[in-house]
C-alpha cells in the first residue's frame, strides 16, 4: 500500500512473512538501486531501496518481482512528500 505518508509491503512465505513499513516523514533520501550477484544459477540482477533515515541510520529493503511494479509510484509519492527519491538503476 502506498499513500502520502509512506508505504507498506509484505514479502516472503505465508508462514514467515517480512513486513516493511516506511514513513516518509522519517526518511531523508530514498535510492532505488540494482546490482549483479553471482550464484550457482549464473548472474542475477537484484534490486533494493536504500533509505537514509533522519535518525542517522540506513535501511535496505529488497525489492522483489511483484514490488518492482510499484517502484514508480513509491518514488513519486516520496518526492511529493519532500524526500530526495532517485532511481539509480
Amino acid at each position: 500500500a502506498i499513500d502520502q505518508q509512506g508505504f507498506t509491503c509484505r514479502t516472503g512465505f505465508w508462514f514467515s512473512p517480512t513486513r516493511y513499513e516506511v514513513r516518509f516523514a522519517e526518511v531523508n533520501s530514498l535510492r532505488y538501486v540494482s546490482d549483479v550477484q553471482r550464484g550457482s544459477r549464473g548472474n542475477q540482477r537484484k534490486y533494493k531501496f536504500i533509505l537514509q533515515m533522519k535518525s542517522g541510520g540506513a535501511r535496505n529493503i529488497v525489492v522483489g518481482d511483484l514490488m518492482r511494479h510499484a517502484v514508480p509510484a513509491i518514488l513519486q509519492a516520496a518526492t511529493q512528500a519532500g524526500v530526495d527519491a532517485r532511481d539509480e538503476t
Side-chain angles (χ1 to χ4, degrees):
I2 306 164
D3 61 23
Q4 296 121 349
Q5 284 77 40
F7 68 94
T8 59
C9 65
R10 195 175 113 180
T11 62
F13 297 105
W14 64 270
F15 57 85
S16 180
T18 301
R19 181 175 162 82
Y20 298 103
E21 184 170 341
V22 175
R23 297 285 128 217
F24 295 138
E26 300 170 357
V27 178
N28 276 329
S29 67
L30 184 148
R31 295 173 37 224
Y32 178 58
V33 300
S34 69
D35 62 348
V36 176
Q37 295 180 348
R38 291 189 174 117
S40 61
R41 298 180 188 178
N43 294 342
Q44 290 187 320
R45 185 161 297 278
K46 301 289 184 174
Y47 298 89
K48 66 182 173 181
F49 283 123
I50 301 174
L51 292 82
Q52 293 296 324
M53 308 304 289
K54 290 183 178 177
S55 63
R59 283 179 70 184
N60 291 334
I61 298 177
V62 175
V63 177
D65 291 337
L66 291 176
M67 190 174 166
R68 260 194 298 171
H69 296 288
V71 167
I74 291 170
L75 293 173
Q76 181 180 12
T79 299
Q80 290 174 347
V83 174
D84 179 20
R86 299 177 189 198
D87 182 345
E88 298 180 359
T89 55

